[in-house]
Amino acid sequence: MLRNRTGGPGLRRADIREGSAQEDVDLVAELVAGGFRGPLWEKVAADLVGYAFQPLLHAMRLSENGKLANLVAKSKTPLLLTDEERTTLHHNQADREQLALMTISVAMETFPKVLKAGGYDPAKNIGKGGKPARLSTFFYGRCGLVFPRVFENWRAERVQRFIGRATVPLDRVDLAYALGRGPSQPESGDEFVDLCDKLIEMVNELKPRDKAVWIMALRGYSRGETADALGIKITDVENARTKLRNEIKKRRRKGTLIVPPRLVAEWELYPTWKEKQAEQAEQKKKKVAR
């Protein structure tokens, strides 16, 4: 039995990497004989998880460079990523970590069965440089096989979360409050009604995530509250808001969206998110200086 430095059963992570493929074969035989129970299996499983976690994060972060595509190339489930999803995987550490843990968990569930059936055969699983693949490399390959399926489930859950927020009905009353025109304040005539109708139409045409962001914004949720509820970053929230604002500006320039002059004057009084960020940063500098 392989033992750790304390003399007890188990492996250190370095043992898995520094041994040989034949030692891994012997280790698998011992694990099969032990029914994948006990301290040895627990330690091996922990080491495999530790080995696969960072490479998975790295592959997702470099999905635009084909790193992830190479990992999942042998999977029976195709992995088709949208540009938005690639951007999310590149920039969002929390999403990458969640996906990595989900992938490793699914791969680990079936790993004992695969090993028991003789799935690990170094002679048939060649690693880098034409050398027999180590058990750790073989497990990482299993992660690549299940990743597309895990990603599909993650995507479905995420989209459903957006849709759940995006299907909340939006009407003129919501916009009236958001635009500073509650029931006690006079509307600006037909122009205001037309503006509300066109803005509702524009929001309803957005993708589920962006639509959810705007519905929550119009209902008074802060950027942080919106990000927490949708499981996205605050910068994603601001990007979604900025895209619609830019579209509004474009339509105003073309004359296809008319904003009442009084409302325009009121809008100009509110600082933008970037201006607020700059103001907060300046306040922090002053506090530090004190």
Side-chain angles (χ1 to χ4, degrees), residues 127-175:
K128 292 182 179 180
K131 296 180 180 180
R134 302 297 311 280
L135 184 61
S136 53
T137 303
F138 179 67
F139 177 72
Y140 183 60
R142 295 293 305 175
C143 290
L145 294 179
V146 305
F147 181 86
R149 178 160 50 92
V150 171
F151 186 83
E152 282 187 357
N153 293 335
W154 177 82
R155 171 196 283 154
E157 188 276 331
R158 193 167 183 259
V159 170
Q160 196 58 44
R161 193 188 317 145
F162 298 153
I163 291 175
R165 292 283 182 172
T167 53
V168 176
L170 187 65
D171 55 32
R172 290 178 190 161
V173 175
D174 296 309
L175 278 170

mmCIF file of all heavy atoms in Angstrom, residues 127-175:
data_model
loop_
_atom_site.group_PDB
_atom_site.id
_atom_site.type_symbol
_atom_site.label_atom_id
_atom_site.label_comp_id
_atom_site.label_asym_id
_atom_site.label_seq_id
_atom_site.Cartn_x
_atom_site.Cartn_y
_atom_site.Cartn_z
ATOM 1 N N GLY A 127 -0.264 10.321 -22.989
ATOM 2 C CA GLY A 127 -0.244 11.721 -22.580
ATOM 3 C C GLY A 127 0.724 12.531 -23.413
ATOM 4 O O GLY A 127 1.059 12.163 -24.544
ATOM 5 N N LYS A 128 1.222 13.616 -22.833
ATOM 6 C CA LYS A 128 2.143 14.493 -23.550
ATOM 7 C C LYS A 128 3.464 13.790 -23.837
ATOM 8 O O LYS A 128 3.931 12.990 -23.036
ATOM 9 C CB LYS A 128 2.411 15.756 -22.722
ATOM 10 C CG LYS A 128 1.191 16.669 -22.582
ATOM 11 C CD LYS A 128 1.547 17.916 -21.805
ATOM 12 C CE LYS A 128 0.352 18.849 -21.689
ATOM 13 N NZ LYS A 128 0.683 20.079 -20.920
ATOM 14 N N GLY A 129 4.033 14.112 -24.968
ATOM 15 C CA GLY A 129 5.321 13.545 -25.329
ATOM 16 C C GLY A 129 5.272 12.061 -25.639
ATOM 17 O O GLY A 129 6.306 11.393 -25.652
ATOM 18 N N GLY A 130 4.072 11.526 -25.873
ATOM 19 C CA GLY A 130 3.946 10.113 -26.192
ATOM 20 C C GLY A 130 4.101 9.187 -25.014
ATOM 21 O O GLY A 130 4.169 7.968 -25.176
ATOM 22 N N LYS A 131 4.141 9.741 -23.800
ATOM 23 C CA LYS A 131 4.279 8.917 -22.603
ATOM 24 C C LYS A 131 2.912 8.418 -22.138
ATOM 25 O O LYS A 131 1.899 9.065 -22.396
ATOM 26 C CB LYS A 131 4.947 9.720 -21.487
ATOM 27 C CG LYS A 131 6.371 10.151 -21.799
ATOM 28 C CD LYS A 131 6.946 10.945 -20.633
ATOM 29 C CE LYS A 131 8.380 11.389 -20.926
ATOM 30 N NZ LYS A 131 8.941 12.168 -19.790
ATOM 31 N N PRO A 132 2.896 7.274 -21.460
ATOM 32 C CA PRO A 132 1.625 6.776 -20.923
ATOM 33 C C PRO A 132 1.005 7.805 -19.985
ATOM 34 O O PRO A 132 1.699 8.409 -19.169
ATOM 35 C CB PRO A 132 2.031 5.510 -20.166
ATOM 36 C CG PRO A 132 3.308 5.077 -20.806
ATOM 37 C CD PRO A 132 4.004 6.354 -21.182
ATOM 38 N N ALA A 133 -0.299 8.010 -20.121
ATOM 39 C CA ALA A 133 -0.985 9.012 -19.304
ATOM 40 C C ALA A 133 -1.031 8.581 -17.846
ATOM 41 O O ALA A 133 -1.260 7.414 -17.533
ATOM 42 C CB ALA A 133 -2.398 9.228 -19.830
ATOM 43 N N ARG A 134 -0.814 9.533 -16.957
ATOM 44 C CA ARG A 134 -0.939 9.285 -15.537
ATOM 45 C C ARG A 134 -2.406 9.270 -15.143
ATOM 46 O O ARG A 134 -3.276 9.711 -15.880
ATOM 47 C CB ARG A 134 -0.181 10.362 -14.746
ATOM 48 C CG ARG A 134 1.311 10.455 -15.085
ATOM 49 C CD ARG A 134 2.034 9.159 -14.735
ATOM 50 N NE ARG A 134 1.705 8.742 -13.374
ATOM 51 C CZ ARG A 134 2.285 9.267 -12.279
ATOM 52 N NH1 ARG A 134 3.217 10.196 -12.407
ATOM 53 N NH2 ARG A 134 1.956 8.832 -11.081
ATOM 54 N N LEU A 135 -2.691 8.756 -13.971
ATOM 55 C CA LEU A 135 -4.062 8.694 -13.484
ATOM 56 C C LEU A 135 -4.669 10.096 -13.382
ATOM 57 O O LEU A 135 -5.848 10.295 -13.690
ATOM 58 C CB LEU A 135 -4.107 8.003 -12.116
ATOM 59 C CG LEU A 135 -5.500 7.777 -11.518
ATOM 60 C CD1 LEU A 135 -6.330 6.881 -12.416
ATOM 61 C CD2 LEU A 135 -5.384 7.184 -10.110
ATOM 62 N N SER A 136 -3.867 11.064 -12.970
ATOM 63 C CA SER A 136 -4.348 12.437 -12.856
ATOM 64 C C SER A 136 -4.735 12.993 -14.228
ATOM 65 O O SER A 136 -5.764 13.666 -14.377
ATOM 66 C CB SER A 136 -3.275 13.325 -12.220
ATOM 67 O OG SER A 136 -2.053 13.190 -12.916
ATOM 68 N N THR A 137 -3.927 12.719 -15.246
ATOM 69 C CA THR A 137 -4.230 13.167 -16.603
ATOM 70 C C THR A 137 -5.483 12.485 -17.131
ATOM 71 O O THR A 137 -6.310 13.105 -17.801
ATOM 72 C CB THR A 137 -3.044 12.865 -17.545
ATOM 73 O OG1 THR A 137 -1.866 13.495 -17.032
ATOM 74 C CG2 THR A 137 -3.315 13.373 -18.944
ATOM 75 N N PHE A 138 -5.614 11.198 -16.813
ATOM 76 C CA PHE A 138 -6.787 10.441 -17.239
ATOM 77 C C PHE A 138 -8.056 11.036 -16.618
ATOM 78 O O PHE A 138 -9.085 11.182 -17.288
ATOM 79 C CB PHE A 138 -6.636 8.973 -16.833
ATOM 80 C CG PHE A 138 -7.801 8.111 -17.215
ATOM 81 C CD1 PHE A 138 -8.093 7.852 -18.545
ATOM 82 C CD2 PHE A 138 -8.614 7.541 -16.231
ATOM 83 C CE1 PHE A 138 -9.178 7.053 -18.896
ATOM 84 C CE2 PHE A 138 -9.688 6.749 -16.574
ATOM 85 C CZ PHE A 138 -9.968 6.504 -17.910
ATOM 86 N N PHE A 139 -7.992 11.410 -15.344
ATOM 87 C CA PHE A 139 -9.159 12.002 -14.676
ATOM 88 C C PHE A 139 -9.496 13.355 -15.293
ATOM 89 O O PHE A 139 -10.675 13.675 -15.492
ATOM 90 C CB PHE A 139 -8.906 12.164 -13.179
ATOM 91 C CG PHE A 139 -10.037 12.836 -12.454
ATOM 92 C CD1 PHE A 139 -11.237 12.178 -12.236
ATOM 93 C CD2 PHE A 139 -9.906 14.143 -11.998
ATOM 94 C CE1 PHE A 139 -12.292 12.799 -11.589
ATOM 95 C CE2 PHE A 139 -10.953 14.781 -11.349
ATOM 96 C CZ PHE A 139 -12.143 14.100 -11.140
ATOM 97 N N TYR A 140 -8.480 14.145 -15.589
ATOM 98 C CA TYR A 140 -8.715 15.445 -16.220
ATOM 99 C C TYR A 140 -9.400 15.258 -17.571
ATOM 100 O O TYR A 140 -10.288 16.028 -17.950
ATOM 101 C CB TYR A 140 -7.397 16.191 -16.380
ATOM 102 C CG TYR A 140 -7.546 17.580 -16.956
ATOM 103 C CD1 TYR A 140 -8.312 18.541 -16.309
ATOM 104 C CD2 TYR A 140 -6.914 17.928 -18.151
ATOM 105 C CE1 TYR A 140 -8.452 19.819 -16.831
ATOM 106 C CE2 TYR A 140 -7.048 19.202 -18.679
ATOM 107 C CZ TYR A 140 -7.813 20.141 -18.016
ATOM 108 O OH TYR A 140 -7.952 21.398 -18.542
ATOM 109 N N GLY A 141 -9.002 14.208 -18.288
ATOM 110 C CA GLY A 141 -9.656 13.891 -19.554
ATOM 111 C C GLY A 141 -11.123 13.538 -19.355
ATOM 112 O O GLY A 141 -11.987 13.909 -20.158
ATOM 113 N N ARG A 142 -11.422 12.832 -18.259
ATOM 114 C CA ARG A 142 -12.818 12.519 -17.941
ATOM 115 C C ARG A 142 -13.609 13.799 -17.677
ATOM 116 O O ARG A 142 -14.781 13.902 -18.054
ATOM 117 C CB ARG A 142 -12.885 11.623 -16.698
ATOM 118 C CG ARG A 142 -12.272 10.244 -16.859
ATOM 119 C CD ARG A 142 -13.029 9.368 -17.821
ATOM 120 N NE ARG A 142 -14.450 9.248 -17.463
ATOM 121 C CZ ARG A 142 -15.358 8.610 -18.203
ATOM 122 N NH1 ARG A 142 -14.978 8.032 -19.335
ATOM 123 N NH2 ARG A 142 -16.609 8.534 -17.820
ATOM 124 N N CYS A 143 -12.964 14.773 -17.059
ATOM 125 C CA CYS A 143 -13.620 16.062 -16.825
ATOM 126 C C CYS A 143 -13.981 16.720 -18.160
ATOM 127 O O CYS A 143 -15.047 17.332 -18.296
ATOM 128 C CB CYS A 143 -12.704 16.984 -16.027
ATOM 129 S SG CYS A 143 -12.470 16.493 -14.295
ATOM 130 N N GLY A 144 -13.091 16.582 -19.134
ATOM 131 C CA GLY A 144 -13.363 17.136 -20.452
ATOM 132 C C GLY A 144 -14.547 16.471 -21.127
ATOM 133 O O GLY A 144 -15.312 17.114 -21.848
ATOM 134 N N LEU A 145 -14.722 15.173 -20.879
ATOM 135 C CA LEU A 145 -15.833 14.444 -21.490
ATOM 136 C C LEU A 145 -17.183 14.889 -20.939
ATOM 137 O O LEU A 145 -18.175 14.939 -21.671
ATOM 138 C CB LEU A 145 -15.659 12.935 -21.256
ATOM 139 C CG LEU A 145 -14.467 12.261 -21.934
ATOM 140 C CD1 LEU A 145 -14.422 10.776 -21.591
ATOM 141 C CD2 LEU A 145 -14.521 12.443 -23.446
ATOM 142 N N VAL A 146 -17.236 15.198 -19.659
ATOM 143 C CA VAL A 146 -18.522 15.554 -19.042
ATOM 144 C C VAL A 146 -18.789 17.060 -19.059
ATOM 145 O O VAL A 146 -19.926 17.480 -18.828
ATOM 146 C CB VAL A 146 -18.605 15.037 -17.586
ATOM 147 C CG1 VAL A 146 -18.347 13.539 -17.533
ATOM 148 C CG2 VAL A 146 -17.636 15.774 -16.664
ATOM 149 N N PHE A 147 -17.760 17.869 -19.324
ATOM 150 C CA PHE A 147 -17.937 19.317 -19.236
ATOM 151 C C PHE A 147 -19.080 19.851 -20.103
ATOM 152 O O PHE A 147 -19.877 20.683 -19.624
ATOM 153 C CB PHE A 147 -16.643 20.054 -19.582
ATOM 154 C CG PHE A 147 -16.762 21.550 -19.476
ATOM 155 C CD1 PHE A 147 -16.556 22.186 -18.257
ATOM 156 C CD2 PHE A 147 -17.101 22.330 -20.579
ATOM 157 C CE1 PHE A 147 -16.685 23.565 -18.140
ATOM 158 C CE2 PHE A 147 -17.234 23.709 -20.471
ATOM 159 C CZ PHE A 147 -17.033 24.314 -19.247
ATOM 160 N N PRO A 148 -19.196 19.447 -21.389
ATOM 161 C CA PRO A 148 -20.286 20.002 -22.206
ATOM 162 C C PRO A 148 -21.671 19.756 -21.602
ATOM 163 O O PRO A 148 -22.533 20.643 -21.637
ATOM 164 C CB PRO A 148 -20.127 19.272 -23.542
ATOM 165 C CG PRO A 148 -18.672 18.944 -23.604
ATOM 166 C CD PRO A 148 -18.314 18.579 -22.199
ATOM 167 N N ARG A 149 -21.875 18.584 -21.043
ATOM 168 C CA ARG A 149 -23.177 18.273 -20.423
ATOM 169 C C ARG A 149 -23.395 19.127 -19.182
ATOM 170 O O ARG A 149 -24.492 19.637 -18.946
ATOM 171 C CB ARG A 149 -23.230 16.779 -20.087
ATOM 172 C CG ARG A 149 -24.502 16.326 -19.405
ATOM 173 C CD ARG A 149 -24.674 14.819 -19.556
ATOM 174 N NE ARG A 149 -23.465 14.093 -19.189
ATOM 175 C CZ ARG A 149 -23.233 13.635 -17.958
ATOM 176 N NH1 ARG A 149 -24.102 13.855 -16.991
ATOM 177 N NH2 ARG A 149 -22.133 12.959 -17.695
ATOM 178 N N VAL A 150 -22.342 19.268 -18.385
ATOM 179 C CA VAL A 150 -22.430 20.113 -17.187
ATOM 180 C C VAL A 150 -22.726 21.551 -17.594
ATOM 181 O O VAL A 150 -23.553 22.230 -16.975
ATOM 182 C CB VAL A 150 -21.117 20.048 -16.378
ATOM 183 C CG1 VAL A 150 -21.115 21.092 -15.259
ATOM 184 C CG2 VAL A 150 -20.927 18.659 -15.795
ATOM 185 N N PHE A 151 -22.054 22.018 -18.645
ATOM 186 C CA PHE A 151 -22.245 23.402 -19.086
ATOM 187 C C PHE A 151 -23.678 23.618 -19.575
ATOM 188 O O PHE A 151 -24.273 24.678 -19.309
ATOM 189 C CB PHE A 151 -21.267 23.751 -20.202
ATOM 190 C CG PHE A 151 -21.307 25.201 -20.605
ATOM 191 C CD1 PHE A 151 -20.598 26.144 -19.887
ATOM 192 C CD2 PHE A 151 -22.069 25.621 -21.684
ATOM 193 C CE1 PHE A 151 -20.645 27.487 -20.231
ATOM 194 C CE2 PHE A 151 -22.129 26.958 -22.040
ATOM 195 C CZ PHE A 151 -21.411 27.895 -21.311
ATOM 196 N N GLU A 152 -24.238 22.650 -20.273
ATOM 197 C CA GLU A 152 -25.619 22.774 -20.748
ATOM 198 C C GLU A 152 -26.580 22.933 -19.573
ATOM 199 O O GLU A 152 -27.506 23.749 -19.620
ATOM 200 C CB GLU A 152 -26.007 21.552 -21.588
ATOM 201 C CG GLU A 152 -25.457 21.577 -23.003
ATOM 202 C CD GLU A 152 -25.996 20.433 -23.841
ATOM 203 O OE1 GLU A 152 -26.748 19.600 -23.300
ATOM 204 O OE2 GLU A 152 -25.685 20.389 -25.044
ATOM 205 N N ASN A 153 -26.376 22.130 -18.534
ATOM 206 C CA ASN A 153 -27.234 22.233 -17.350
ATOM 207 C C ASN A 153 -27.063 23.586 -16.664
ATOM 208 O O ASN A 153 -28.033 24.199 -16.219
ATOM 209 C CB ASN A 153 -26.924 21.097 -16.368
ATOM 210 C CG ASN A 153 -27.311 19.740 -16.915
ATOM 211 O OD1 ASN A 153 -28.192 19.637 -17.770
ATOM 212 N ND2 ASN A 153 -26.660 18.691 -16.444
ATOM 213 N N TRP A 154 -25.807 24.030 -16.567
ATOM 214 C CA TRP A 154 -25.514 25.325 -15.948
ATOM 215 C C TRP A 154 -26.146 26.458 -16.756
ATOM 216 O O TRP A 154 -26.740 27.371 -16.194
ATOM 217 C CB TRP A 154 -23.998 25.510 -15.866
ATOM 218 C CG TRP A 154 -23.556 26.833 -15.325
ATOM 219 C CD1 TRP A 154 -23.454 27.212 -14.011
ATOM 220 C CD2 TRP A 154 -23.138 27.977 -16.088
ATOM 221 N NE1 TRP A 154 -23.000 28.496 -13.906
ATOM 222 C CE2 TRP A 154 -22.795 28.996 -15.163
ATOM 223 C CE3 TRP A 154 -23.014 28.223 -17.457
ATOM 224 C CZ2 TRP A 154 -22.342 30.244 -15.571
ATOM 225 C CZ3 TRP A 154 -22.564 29.482 -17.863
ATOM 226 C CH2 TRP A 154 -22.234 30.461 -16.930
ATOM 227 N N ARG A 155 -26.026 26.366 -18.068
ATOM 228 C CA ARG A 155 -26.602 27.388 -18.947
ATOM 229 C C ARG A 155 -28.126 27.429 -18.802
ATOM 230 O O ARG A 155 -28.714 28.509 -18.680
ATOM 231 C CB ARG A 155 -26.232 27.075 -20.394
ATOM 232 C CG ARG A 155 -26.975 27.959 -21.411
ATOM 233 C CD ARG A 155 -26.870 27.329 -22.780
ATOM 234 N NE ARG A 155 -25.581 27.533 -23.408
ATOM 235 C CZ ARG A 155 -25.065 26.719 -24.326
ATOM 236 N NH1 ARG A 155 -25.713 25.609 -24.661
ATOM 237 N NH2 ARG A 155 -23.902 26.997 -24.892
ATOM 238 N N ALA A 156 -28.762 26.254 -18.794
ATOM 239 C CA ALA A 156 -30.222 26.196 -18.680
ATOM 240 C C ALA A 156 -30.695 26.817 -17.370
ATOM 241 O O ALA A 156 -31.679 27.568 -17.342
ATOM 242 C CB ALA A 156 -30.693 24.747 -18.789
ATOM 243 N N GLU A 157 -29.975 26.500 -16.283
ATOM 244 C CA GLU A 157 -30.355 27.053 -14.976
ATOM 245 C C GLU A 157 -30.172 28.558 -14.965
ATOM 246 O O GLU A 157 -31.005 29.303 -14.434
ATOM 247 C CB GLU A 157 -29.492 26.395 -13.887
ATOM 248 C CG GLU A 157 -29.909 26.739 -12.463
ATOM 249 C CD GLU A 157 -29.330 28.063 -11.978
ATOM 250 O OE1 GLU A 157 -28.233 28.437 -12.447
ATOM 251 O OE2 GLU A 157 -29.987 28.721 -11.144
ATOM 252 N N ARG A 158 -29.100 29.019 -15.566
ATOM 253 C CA ARG A 158 -28.788 30.447 -15.605
ATOM 254 C C ARG A 158 -29.813 31.208 -16.444
ATOM 255 O O ARG A 158 -30.323 32.259 -16.033
ATOM 256 C CB ARG A 158 -27.384 30.629 -16.172
ATOM 257 C CG ARG A 158 -26.772 32.004 -16.010
ATOM 258 C CD ARG A 158 -25.297 31.912 -16.325
ATOM 259 N NE ARG A 158 -24.608 33.169 -16.128
ATOM 260 C CZ ARG A 158 -24.274 33.994 -17.110
ATOM 261 N NH1 ARG A 158 -24.580 33.689 -18.363
ATOM 262 N NH2 ARG A 158 -23.633 35.120 -16.865
ATOM 263 N N VAL A 159 -30.119 30.669 -17.629
ATOM 264 C CA VAL A 159 -31.098 31.313 -18.509
ATOM 265 C C VAL A 159 -32.476 31.341 -17.846
ATOM 266 O O VAL A 159 -33.199 32.328 -17.937
ATOM 267 C CB VAL A 159 -31.172 30.589 -19.870
ATOM 268 C CG1 VAL A 159 -32.354 31.097 -20.697
ATOM 269 C CG2 VAL A 159 -29.877 30.792 -20.651
ATOM 270 N N GLN A 160 -32.815 30.245 -17.163
ATOM 271 C CA GLN A 160 -34.098 30.186 -16.480
ATOM 272 C C GLN A 160 -34.195 31.257 -15.397
ATOM 273 O O GLN A 160 -35.257 31.839 -15.166
ATOM 274 C CB GLN A 160 -34.303 28.799 -15.866
ATOM 275 C CG GLN A 160 -35.740 28.508 -15.460
ATOM 276 C CD GLN A 160 -36.712 28.624 -16.616
ATOM 277 O OE1 GLN A 160 -36.447 28.141 -17.711
ATOM 278 N NE2 GLN A 160 -37.833 29.279 -16.392
ATOM 279 N N ARG A 161 -33.050 31.514 -14.744
ATOM 280 C CA ARG A 161 -33.006 32.563 -13.727
ATOM 281 C C ARG A 161 -33.271 33.926 -14.371
ATOM 282 O O ARG A 161 -34.019 34.746 -13.836
ATOM 283 C CB ARG A 161 -31.640 32.559 -13.051
ATOM 284 C CG ARG A 161 -31.561 33.376 -11.768
ATOM 285 C CD ARG A 161 -30.128 33.469 -11.293
ATOM 286 N NE ARG A 161 -29.418 32.219 -11.397
ATOM 287 C CZ ARG A 161 -28.134 32.114 -11.700
ATOM 288 N NH1 ARG A 161 -27.405 33.190 -11.923
ATOM 289 N NH2 ARG A 161 -27.555 30.940 -11.772
ATOM 290 N N PHE A 162 -32.690 34.158 -15.555
ATOM 291 C CA PHE A 162 -32.930 35.415 -16.260
ATOM 292 C C PHE A 162 -34.388 35.515 -16.707
ATOM 293 O O PHE A 162 -35.027 36.551 -16.545
ATOM 294 C CB PHE A 162 -32.028 35.522 -17.500
ATOM 295 C CG PHE A 162 -30.555 35.530 -17.187
ATOM 296 C CD1 PHE A 162 -29.638 35.072 -18.111
ATOM 297 C CD2 PHE A 162 -30.089 35.992 -15.970
ATOM 298 C CE1 PHE A 162 -28.278 35.080 -17.842
ATOM 299 C CE2 PHE A 162 -28.736 36.006 -15.680
ATOM 300 C CZ PHE A 162 -27.829 35.543 -16.631
ATOM 301 N N ILE A 163 -34.884 34.404 -17.276
ATOM 302 C CA ILE A 163 -36.255 34.409 -17.791
ATOM 303 C C ILE A 163 -37.250 34.647 -16.660
ATOM 304 O O ILE A 163 -38.244 35.348 -16.831
ATOM 305 C CB ILE A 163 -36.557 33.070 -18.516
ATOM 306 C CG1 ILE A 163 -35.741 32.986 -19.807
ATOM 307 C CG2 ILE A 163 -38.040 32.945 -18.807
ATOM 308 C CD1 ILE A 163 -35.880 31.675 -20.533
ATOM 309 N N GLY A 164 -36.948 34.069 -15.490
ATOM 310 C CA GLY A 164 -37.843 34.258 -14.357
ATOM 311 C C GLY A 164 -38.022 35.726 -14.018
ATOM 312 O O GLY A 164 -39.122 36.165 -13.651
ATOM 313 N N ARG A 165 -36.948 36.488 -14.139
ATOM 314 C CA ARG A 165 -37.026 37.933 -13.881
ATOM 315 C C ARG A 165 -37.555 38.693 -15.098
ATOM 316 O O ARG A 165 -38.239 39.706 -14.960
ATOM 317 C CB ARG A 165 -35.647 38.473 -13.515
ATOM 318 C CG ARG A 165 -35.122 37.978 -12.183
ATOM 319 C CD ARG A 165 -35.783 38.696 -11.028
ATOM 320 N NE ARG A 165 -35.245 38.268 -9.744
ATOM 321 C CZ ARG A 165 -35.554 38.852 -8.577
ATOM 322 N NH1 ARG A 165 -36.401 39.866 -8.561
ATOM 323 N NH2 ARG A 165 -35.025 38.414 -7.452
ATOM 324 N N ALA A 166 -37.214 38.193 -16.290
ATOM 325 C CA ALA A 166 -37.571 38.903 -17.517
ATOM 326 C C ALA A 166 -39.054 38.798 -17.849
ATOM 327 O O ALA A 166 -39.567 39.607 -18.628
ATOM 328 C CB ALA A 166 -36.740 38.378 -18.690
ATOM 329 N N THR A 167 -39.747 37.817 -17.298
ATOM 330 C CA THR A 167 -41.164 37.638 -17.613
ATOM 331 C C THR A 167 -42.080 38.454 -16.705
ATOM 332 O O THR A 167 -43.301 38.389 -16.840
ATOM 333 C CB THR A 167 -41.553 36.148 -17.512
ATOM 334 O OG1 THR A 167 -41.150 35.635 -16.233
ATOM 335 C CG2 THR A 167 -40.894 35.336 -18.605
ATOM 336 N N VAL A 168 -41.482 39.193 -15.764
ATOM 337 C CA VAL A 168 -42.298 40.077 -14.923
ATOM 338 C C VAL A 168 -42.908 41.161 -15.807
ATOM 339 O O VAL A 168 -42.186 41.843 -16.537
ATOM 340 C CB VAL A 168 -41.436 40.720 -13.813
ATOM 341 C CG1 VAL A 168 -42.269 41.720 -13.011
ATOM 342 C CG2 VAL A 168 -40.859 39.657 -12.904
ATOM 343 N N PRO A 169 -44.248 41.321 -15.784
ATOM 344 C CA PRO A 169 -44.886 42.320 -16.656
ATOM 345 C C PRO A 169 -44.365 43.732 -16.379
ATOM 346 O O PRO A 169 -44.119 44.107 -15.236
ATOM 347 C CB PRO A 169 -46.379 42.201 -16.301
ATOM 348 C CG PRO A 169 -46.526 40.852 -15.694
ATOM 349 C CD PRO A 169 -45.230 40.592 -14.978
ATOM 350 N N LEU A 170 -44.191 44.491 -17.438
ATOM 351 C CA LEU A 170 -43.721 45.869 -17.331
ATOM 352 C C LEU A 170 -44.756 46.771 -17.990
ATOM 353 O O LEU A 170 -45.186 46.514 -19.124
ATOM 354 C CB LEU A 170 -42.370 46.013 -18.038
ATOM 355 C CG LEU A 170 -41.627 47.341 -17.890
ATOM 356 C CD1 LEU A 170 -41.224 47.566 -16.433
ATOM 357 C CD2 LEU A 170 -40.390 47.338 -18.778
ATOM 358 N N ASP A 171 -45.209 47.796 -17.289
ATOM 359 C CA ASP A 171 -46.222 48.693 -17.862
ATOM 360 C C ASP A 171 -45.820 50.147 -17.673
ATOM 361 O O ASP A 171 -44.758 50.462 -17.160
ATOM 362 C CB ASP A 171 -47.599 48.426 -17.241
ATOM 363 C CG ASP A 171 -47.577 48.520 -15.714
ATOM 364 O OD1 ASP A 171 -46.782 49.327 -15.195
ATOM 365 O OD2 ASP A 171 -48.341 47.801 -15.061
ATOM 366 N N ARG A 172 -46.708 51.047 -18.098
ATOM 367 C CA ARG A 172 -46.411 52.482 -18.040
ATOM 368 C C ARG A 172 -46.217 52.979 -16.617
ATOM 369 O O ARG A 172 -45.458 53.920 -16.392
ATOM 370 C CB ARG A 172 -47.548 53.269 -18.694
ATOM 371 C CG ARG A 172 -47.645 53.118 -20.202
ATOM 372 C CD ARG A 172 -48.824 53.905 -20.702
ATOM 373 N NE ARG A 172 -49.125 53.623 -22.103
ATOM 374 C CZ ARG A 172 -50.289 53.891 -22.677
ATOM 375 N NH1 ARG A 172 -51.246 54.433 -21.951
ATOM 376 N NH2 ARG A 172 -50.488 53.615 -23.941
ATOM 377 N N VAL A 173 -46.927 52.355 -15.667
ATOM 378 C CA VAL A 173 -46.799 52.791 -14.279
ATOM 379 C C VAL A 173 -45.366 52.596 -13.797
ATOM 380 O O VAL A 173 -44.781 53.476 -13.148
ATOM 381 C CB VAL A 173 -47.782 52.022 -13.366
ATOM 382 C CG1 VAL A 173 -47.552 52.398 -11.903
ATOM 383 C CG2 VAL A 173 -49.215 52.321 -13.773
ATOM 384 N N ASP A 174 -44.778 51.409 -14.126
ATOM 385 C CA ASP A 174 -43.384 51.153 -13.748
ATOM 386 C C ASP A 174 -42.458 52.228 -14.341
ATOM 387 O O ASP A 174 -41.583 52.766 -13.657
ATOM 388 C CB ASP A 174 -42.938 49.777 -14.245
ATOM 389 C CG ASP A 174 -43.719 48.659 -13.589
ATOM 390 O OD1 ASP A 174 -43.817 48.643 -12.355
ATOM 391 O OD2 ASP A 174 -44.246 47.799 -14.324
ATOM 392 N N LEU A 175 -42.670 52.514 -15.626
ATOM 393 C CA LEU A 175 -41.821 53.501 -16.285
ATOM 394 C C LEU A 175 -42.075 54.901 -15.748
ATOM 395 O O LEU A 175 -41.152 55.707 -15.626
ATOM 396 C CB LEU A 175 -42.067 53.465 -17.793
ATOM 397 C CG LEU A 175 -41.301 52.367 -18.539
ATOM 398 C CD1 LEU A 175 -41.790 52.265 -19.973
ATOM 399 C CD2 LEU A 175 -39.813 52.634 -18.520
#
